[in-house]
Structures are given as C-alpha cells and as structure tokens.
Amino acid sequence: MNLNEFQDDITTGIPATLPAKKAYETAINHAPKRKEILSPEEKILALKNALRYFPKDQHAELAQEFSDELEKHGRIYMYRFRPDYKMYARPINDYPGKSLQAKAIMLMIQNNLDYAVAQHPHELITYGGNGAVFQNWIQYRLTMKYLSEMEDDQTLVMYSGHPLGLFPSHKDAPRVVVTNGMMIPNYSKPDDWEKFNALGVTQYGQMTAGSYMYIGPQGIVHGTTITVLNGFRKIKKDPRGSLFVTSGLGGMSGAQPKAGTIAGCVTVCAEVNPKITRIRHEQGWVNEVFGNLDELVKRVREAQSGQEAVSIAYLGNVVDVWEKFDKENLHIDLGSDQTSLHNPWAGGYYPVGIDFETANKLMASDPEEFRSKVQQTLVRHADAINAHTAKGTYFFDYGNAFLLEASRAGADVMAANGIDFKYPSYVQDIMGPMCFDYGFGPFRWVCTSGKPEDLEKTDAIACAVLEEMKQRSPEEIQQQMADNIQWIKGAQENKLVVGSQARILYADAEGRMKIAAAFNEAISKGIIGPVVLGRDHHDVSGTDSPYRETSNIYDGSRFTADMAIQNVIGDSFRGATWVSIHNGGGVGWGEVINGGFGMLLDGSSDADRRLKSMLHWDVNNGIARRNWARNEGAIFAIKRAMEAEPKLKVTIPELVDEELLKGIK
C-alpha cells in the first residue's frame, strides 16, 4: 500500500462497504480465549453494542459473525476490519491531517500496535495479557479518522477505547483525553472487567497501552537496570558472577534479561509462551534459550564461573527452575517474578505441570479448575522461594501482585504480624526511597521523524544536560545522576529500540525540564525533527498503587488515589498534548489508579512554555505527597524545589518523637 492509499484508508474511517473477511493468522501471538461470563441476554446486548457502529443494512451479515467471535474468543474484536497496511510508527509527516499534535498521537497509536511491539496485535493488546489500546478494530479506525480531521482547537474524548467524538476546546487544551476502566468502585472486581469488557463498554488500558505511550520492553529496562544494580548494592554483592532469577518475557517483563545483562550479572528468566520467547531471542533481549533443566543448571554454573554478563531464557515454568536450583544447591543471589499476576485467571500466570496450549484451553473450558491449579502453583512457587531465601537469597516483589495473589492462594508469604508480606516490594526497598522520593522517574521521548540519527542526537543532548547538572547536584542525588549518565551513554550500544525511535531515561523534574527545553531548541534550529515526550505511569506521581508505586507510603494514605487524579487534572490544563487516567494496570483491575500524558515538542515558544509548566507539576505533585507522608528523601527534594521556584509553597510535616508516643495509652 503506497502513502496515498494509506492516508485515504485513515481518512475513510469505517468503510462504506464491508471488506472481505480475514483469515485467522495462527502465526501471530493471539490473546487466549476469555472466560464464558455473559448470560444469553447479555450476549444479545454485546451484539447490539457492537452493531451500533454500522448501518442497518450490514447488521444481518455482521450479527452472526460477531456472535461467532464472541463464542470463539470471548470478545468481539471485529477482525474483518483490521487494516491491510503494515502497522508501525511512520514518520510524522506521513499521517494525514490538519494538526501536528494529532499526527503525533496517530504515530504513537500505531507504535503501540506494531507487531514487533504489541503482545497480541490482532486483539489490539499491547502488553500484560489484557492491556488494550482499543476494544475492537472499528474503534481504531474511527479514532484515526477523527485525528485526521482534528484542528488545534478541538479535543477528542476517548471512553475506554471508544472515540466519543471531537469537541470544541482551545489550543492549550489536550488534543485527546483518555479514560480506561473508570468503574463505579463496587463494580471493579476482576470478573467485572471480564463482563463489561465482553459487553464492549469498558477496557483495561494497562498503563502505557491505553495511553498510547508504550515503547516496547525498553519502557522499563532503565528502571529494571536500576533495580537490579541497587539490589546487588543492597546485599553488597558484585553483579559479576552473581545470579538473578525471575520470570516473564512478554511485554514489559521482557526488559528483565536485557537489564540483567547491562547490570553485569547472570540472568535466568523463565517463560511458558514459545512464541514470545522466540521473539525476545530474535530481538536480542535474551542471549540464549534452554528447554532442559539439567542443561540450564550446567550453563548457569559455567556462566557464574566465567563471570559472564549473559541472559538465559528457560522455556517452561519458573516454579520448575526454583525447585531445580534448590535441589542442585545452585545459589540465587537476587530473585523476583514479573509475570502478569494482575491478570492471574486470563493468561497472566500459568500453572506448573501443564503445557502452554493445554493451559490456554483449560482457562476457557473450565475457569474454576484453571484458577485452582494457578493457586496451587502459587503455593509451590512461594515454597520454593522460601527455601532459597533461607539460604540467603534476596527476594523482592516486582509489583506484579505476586505476593498479593500468593497470599490469597494461602501461600506462606505473610510476615509474623499477619498484616505485612515477608518480602518487600522493590519500591519499598529500592525505587521508592532511592528514586521516586527524590523525583527521579521514567522520562520518555520518541523521535517522530523515525530517524535513528535523531535519536542519537537526543541521547547526546540529554547526556550533556545531565553532566552539567551533576557538577552542582547535592550529595543526596549524586548516585542517581551518575547511574543515569552511565545509562544514556550506553543506550546506543545496548540496542534498546523496538518499534519507534524512542528512549527512556530516569530524571528528576529539573532534568526533565532542561532536557525537554534543549530538545525544543534543537527542533527550532532544524537539528532534529519534532519529539513526543511522555513517561511510564510507574513514576513519582502518576500512579496510586498500594502494592507497588506507593508501597513506601506509610502514613495510611497508600490506599487513596487523590495523587493520580490530581496529576492528570493538573497535566491537562498545564499543556499536555494528551492525558489519560486508568483503573488497573500493573497490579490489577481495582487495585490501582494510574495516569499518563503525552506532549509534542515542535520547536515553538508555545511548546517551551507548556513543557516548563506541565513537567514541573507532573513530578512535584508526587514529591509533595511523599513529603507529607514523612518520606525523608521527599522532604529534602520538595524543600529544594521550593528554593528553586518561589511560587511553589508546600506544607512540610512536623516530625513526631517516637519515644513520646510510646507512653501514650
């Protein structure tokens, strides 16, 4: 398909005549069949909801087709309407339209659905097993059409994948406002997602999937590298020759082996899905693949002895790895898990002793039996971890709800007080006190020209900014600055790009604003093309998640969601190009509220004004909240922020003498 045909397809939106049905491509990594949850009456409602996108003369043909999809897959994806063009992030000027900001959003949407990026591209699922960009292909088509028509005084409103429409606004308003899964609290249990998603009225946007800001496993590889490095620092162990064991290669978790290699250790990452294991190996995110445990043990011992920085995928269940290494007395230094346990009953975690395909069939045919086997596996998983930690392994929860679901399964993961988990979240021990409290988080950018040389130039610009800042940074953040400079210097050689020409770099508010301003200046001079800014929701202030991002909040407020809501409201009137707020993501539906943004830098004075206003708020909102929770690093950081910006005035907590309270009855 040539450029004109591509642009015509975008501007057409919903085809006037029905395209031919498409064959189901078995070579593609597909979402598992969803559980049978709708009543006969609700199935009729789901069909009515799907058919409302089409004229009545097409209903008769589509009704049976959509009914078949619902029966076979548990969802109506509208496969027939999948575009014929290749799905990837094109250069920004290839997109039709009147608004450069709207074109940037189209680019980011297509990047999310790129076959090299998306986990289940034909089901419009980017990562995490259920992190969707849209519910069906007509929503995609209609959204792209609206964006092609958008002007800079309009805003597109997105209701859980459905484009409600274009509304008049103004040039400083967001071009798109996204909500995903915003349920009434009493209807936010896992089965509620299954039901209302099957009805076609809500979706699980994960974090950056439904925010159009996913950049492949690179999206968390910097944070994962920081976590692994600081995990070894915490146990005072050199990564060289040390062993890190974890699981999960799909989506975000695919960053783990690459991060382990960058950190310099031996990494073993188990994955049950053969297709995603092959993809990660082909992409270079994992060095070697083994399917035999004896051979795996032999290779790990060899790598440890040679102090190799190597990543090894085990094609199979991670429980078998933990148990085998225990039996062989193979010492694990760091251990974790990054399977999608926010989604334990629909493909996020697989039972041990059952092959992948059989498990997928059981998931749909007998969901209660599947659930039982998953919980039995979680108990075994925890028991094997406990055996290793008794020998000195440092295990941390990676914020994927592993400990939460293991506790619900009755596993031995609770502390002696019966309230806390016996193992910390990585945010509690590492990312919270070392990064988030000081304002450091996963700043992202995408070079919309699609040129690798633009990405290389932005890397150099960012590095120069950080090196200048480090010279006058206080002692409290010198380590963070040094780690980030080392990261960006090695970004090119580590070949992190999957899909768009994107980068991630942990930076604080000052760093983000200065890097963004330097990018905008370079764009204005014609040195580079326009740049999209964003971040992971897994950040200082975008997410309220009591078992992950805000797990190091100890004043009792970690179960509140004011911060995430305030964050997205504040971003929307301070200049973000698009904003999003989601229920679910990372740790599960009903367990978290998280928000994100995107911002286009086009070299203009307007972009310079917006970036300074919005990025300052986007970070300092979270630092202020963490300060109020009495987090020591955040108190330091917000005081420093107030010294730099006289108009920032934040309430500082008074600290209470613990000895005084001991005598209170």
Side-chain angles (χ1 to χ4, degrees), residues 66-142:
F66 291 166
S67 177
D68 292 342
E69 283 189 15
L70 188 60
E71 185 67 27
K72 185 175 180 180
H73 307 292
R75 297 292 187 272
I76 299 172
Y77 297 116
M78 306 185 186
Y79 290 120
R80 177 196 291 258
F81 295 95
R82 199 165 40 77
D84 291 324
Y85 52 75
K86 186 177 179 182
M87 190 68 68
Y88 68 99
R90 291 159 171 78
I92 191 167
N93 291 324
D94 283 4
Y95 292 92
K98 307 170 185 176
S99 164
L100 192 67
Q101 294 180 59
K103 292 180 182 183
I105 299 168
M106 285 192 271
L107 182 157
M108 296 302 294
I109 287 172
Q110 291 203 316
N111 185 64
N112 267 22
L113 295 171
D114 185 331
Y115 283 23
V117 174
Q119 184 181 16
H120 305 308
H122 285 191
E123 289 75 40
L124 303 112
I125 290 171
T126 302
Y127 70 96
N130 53 12
V133 189
F134 302 98
Q135 296 180 61
N136 57 60
W137 283 105
I138 283 298
Q139 290 179 347
Y140 164 83
R141 284 183 172 275
L142 190 53

Side-chain angles (χ1 to χ4, degrees), residues 360-538:
N360 279 332
K361 292 175 183 176
L362 182 65
M363 188 190 309
S365 64
D366 193 343
E368 288 308 310
E369 178 64 13
F370 182 82
R371 181 188 184 104
S372 175
K373 288 188 178 298
V374 163
Q375 292 193 316
Q376 291 169 31
T377 299
L378 282 166
V379 172
R380 271 180 64 179
H381 196 161
D383 286 346
I385 289 166
N386 292 340
H388 281 275
T389 58
K391 301 176 185 178
T393 297
Y394 172 65
F395 182 85
F396 56 90
D397 185 284
Y398 227 137
N400 65 329
F402 171 73
L403 291 178
L404 181 63
E405 287 301 332
S407 69
R408 290 169 174 169
D412 179 15
V413 294
M414 303 305 297
N417 62 14
I419 300 172
D420 300 316
F421 297 127
K422 64 166 63 176
Y423 301 115
S425 155
Y426 75 118
V427 173
Q428 289 175 290
D429 262 15
I430 299 171
M431 296 303 290
M434 296 194 68
C435 291
F436 293 167
D437 284 353
Y438 288 101
F440 286 86
F443 185 51
R444 297 178 175 184
W445 65 88
V446 177
C447 297
T448 67
S449 67
K451 298 177 181 178
E453 55 265 36
D454 274 14
L455 184 60
E456 190 171 353
K457 290 173 185 176
T458 59
D459 286 345
I461 291 169
C463 187
V465 169
L466 293 181
E467 287 183 322
E468 187 277 328
M469 287 176 58
K470 187 177 184 297
Q471 293 179 11
R472 54 179 179 74
S473 292
E475 182 181 351
E476 287 84 350
I477 61 171
Q478 280 290 311
Q479 182 67 66
Q480 291 91 327
M481 297 297 294
D483 284 348
N484 295 334
I485 291 168
Q486 179 183 349
W487 164 263
I488 198 66
K489 283 183 174 179
Q492 292 286 332
E493 66 186 61
N494 285 312
K495 299 179 181 178
L496 302 167
V497 169
V498 176
S500 59
Q501 294 296 318
R503 185 67 74 226
I504 185 166
L505 171 67
Y506 267 56
D508 61 4
E510 180 186 8
R512 298 183 209 202
M513 287 188 288
K514 287 189 171 181
I515 292 169
F519 288 170
N520 200 53
E521 183 180 5
I523 296 164
S524 70
K525 294 178 178 178
I527 297 170
I528 57 175
V531 171
V532 168
L533 301 181
R535 57 161 168 76
D536 192 1
H537 302 194
H538 172 63

Side-chain angles (χ1 to χ4, degrees), residues 2-23:
N2 64 36
L3 180 59
N4 287 336
E5 290 172 327
F6 165 73
Q7 292 180 340
D8 287 345
D9 195 291
I10 293 290
T11 56
T12 296
I14 302 176
T17 58
L18 290 177
K21 290 181 68 174
K22 286 184 166 57

Side-chain angles (χ1 to χ4, degrees), residues 14-18 51 54-63 81:
I14 302 176
T17 58
L18 290 177
L51 291 169
F54 305 95
K56 284 186 177 181
D57 62 358
Q58 297 177 357
H59 286 188
E61 182 172 352
L62 292 176
F81 295 95

